[in-house]
Amino acid sequence: RTLPPCVITLHSGFLRLPDLLDGSQITERIFITFLSSCAVMQEHTVETAHGVLHVTVHGTGNARRPAILTFHDVGLESKSCFSTLFKFEEMQEIVKNFTVVHIDALGQEDGAAAYPAGYQYPSMDQLAETVPTVLQYFNFRTIIGVGVGAGAYILAKFAMCNPEAVEGLVLINIDAEARGWMDWAAHKVHLVICSVLICSSEEMSAGTELLQSHRERISKASHLPNMELFWKSYNNRRDLNIDRSNTFKCPVMLVVGDQAPHEDAAVECNSKLDPTTTSFLKMADAGGMPQLTQPSKLTEAFKYFIQGMGYMASSCMTRLSRSRTTSLSSSYSMEGSRSRSRTLSQSSQGGQMPPSPSHTMEVSC
């Protein structure tokens, strides 16, 4: 039978079914089949003890698998921080097998109303306390966390306080140490975010299109005061106090762009983690936002990481190659450019479990 007009929310936005099908009529069975093949997006508002969160959920995933939960960096929100990565063609193999949940930090979603003067924005610890509420709201038992910058810190804090809820962590541009040495006026926030948090020195000097687009977006944002509050909260963060005796209880992949502003901090964090459960991925030509500039390499590394956790064991890995480096924690390494090295799929033949991720990796392909 024919169905009334409806709206389906997809990754790319809102799509009217009659427009999609050019006005033709379809049966209910075909419609259900069509729905099942789509990555349906749902937007939610989740009330927490520290404020109301905007949360976006993609797909229904597999109830027996953890959800992939993301948390963005300062100056970004979930869409600008992660859409390039999660819309990437090769990432769809992962997306269709997991529920993907994007959290926008309080007041950071696109179009959010600016907080009034004098508003006390939550601390980083308090923002981490909002994550359990999201898990409870959606009835998620465990997650694989993917965080960038401030989001990486928040998910790291959450994982240390709730180890039973986290099966794996991908921490991009992590800085686990307290800083508290910058104080910037609100009208400078867009420059600070681009120059200190997001972009590498090469990107700043070159004035890349990516840099310009982020500057323009931040400077025109109606909730710029909220960004400043988030920045100040991150800048006033406490040291996570990570060491070999106080570390994560799950596999961790640290990611940073070569020559990125966060490179030294990520290296320092890597030195404090358990080398048998940690991999360190330093990406060449990635700048300060590898999830935006190198989605292909990051997707392949993420697939490898998930495979190492026992999920998607038969996943094809054909693009990412890893150059041989010397790691203080391990003598194991893999070599080279695409033309002269084994790929990740070749190094884990037949979908077998890959080697323990206790190595430094520099991606130069």
Side-chain angles (χ1 to χ4, degrees), residues 220-237:
K220 293 181 178 180
S222 60
H223 58 293
L224 184 59
N226 300 3
M227 293 187 190
E228 181 191 14
L229 291 173
F230 188 24
W231 156 247
K232 287 184 175 179
S233 179
Y234 178 54
N235 192 47
N236 291 326
R237 65 190 178 276

Side-chain angles (χ1 to χ4, degrees), residues 199-267:
C199 298
S200 68
S201 56
E202 288 79 2
E203 289 170 310
M204 289 295 295
S205 60
T208 63
E209 182 178 345
L210 182 63
L211 169 62
Q212 295 301 328
S213 66
H214 278 290
R215 276 184 169 174
E216 182 177 359
R217 181 184 57 79
I218 292 170
S219 63
K220 293 181 178 180
S222 60
H223 58 293
L224 184 59
N226 300 3
M227 293 187 190
E228 181 191 14
L229 291 173
F230 188 24
W231 156 247
K232 287 184 175 179
S233 179
Y234 178 54
N235 192 47
N236 291 326
R237 65 190 178 276
R238 298 190 300 172
D239 197 305
L240 285 178
N241 294 317
I242 296 174
D243 56 44
R244 295 292 173 86
S245 62
N246 181 36
T247 187
F248 304 111
K249 309 302 182 184
C250 63
V252 179
M253 181 168 71
L254 303 180
V255 182
V256 69
D258 192 17
Q259 303 300 317
H262 327 273
E263 184 179 2
D264 290 344
V267 170

Side-chain angles (χ1 to χ4, degrees), residues 97-304:
N97 285 288
F98 293 86
T99 301
V100 181
V101 185
H102 300 294
I103 296 179
D104 289 312
L106 296 171
Q108 305 304 306
E109 69 271 18
D110 191 27
Y115 289 125
Y119 176 80
Q120 184 62 47
Y121 196 79
S123 66
M124 288 288 106
D125 289 0
Q126 290 173 325
L127 289 175
E129 291 171 1
T130 66
V131 179
T133 306
V134 174
L135 270 62
Q136 184 178 13
Y137 181 90
F138 293 104
N139 198 28
F140 296 140
R141 186 177 61 85
T142 60
I143 65 164
I144 298 172
V146 182
V148 180
Y153 179 97
I154 290 167
L155 291 184
K157 181 68 177 181
F158 167 73
M160 296 182 76
C161 295
N162 304 271
E164 73 289 345
V166 184
E167 293 194 30
L169 282 174
V170 178
L171 304 177
I172 304 171
N173 299 334
I174 180 71
D175 188 344
E177 296 184 354
R179 297 299 178 191
W181 47 268
M182 292 185 185
D183 185 19
W184 299 83
H187 70 279
K188 298 272 189 165
V189 143
H190 65 290
L191 297 176
V192 174
I193 291 170
C194 288
S195 62
V196 178
L197 296 178
I198 295 178
C199 298
S200 68
S201 56
E202 288 79 2
E203 289 170 310
M204 289 295 295
S205 60
T208 63
E209 182 178 345
L210 182 63
L211 169 62
Q212 295 301 328
S213 66
H214 278 290
R215 276 184 169 174
E216 182 177 359
R217 181 184 57 79
I218 292 170
S219 63
K220 293 181 178 180
S222 60
H223 58 293
L224 184 59
N226 300 3
M227 293 187 190
E228 181 191 14
L229 291 173
F230 188 24
W231 156 247
K232 287 184 175 179
S233 179
Y234 178 54
N235 192 47
N236 291 326
R237 65 190 178 276
R238 298 190 300 172
D239 197 305
L240 285 178
N241 294 317
I242 296 174
D243 56 44
R244 295 292 173 86
S245 62
N246 181 36
T247 187
F248 304 111
K249 309 302 182 184
C250 63
V252 179
M253 181 168 71
L254 303 180
V255 182
V256 69
D258 192 17
Q259 303 300 317
H262 327 273
E263 184 179 2
D264 290 344
V267 170
E268 177 67 18
C269 182
N270 181 57
S271 70
K272 296 179 179 180
L273 298 182
D274 183 349
T276 65
T277 58
T278 305
S279 57
F280 181 43
L281 184 65
K282 186 162 65 174
M283 303 180 68
D285 303 320
M289 292 181 283
Q291 79 279 9
L292 301 182
T293 56
Q294 296 289 356
S296 176
K297 297 176 185 177
L298 188 53
T299 295
E300 197 73 9
F302 190 36
K303 284 184 182 180
Y304 185 69

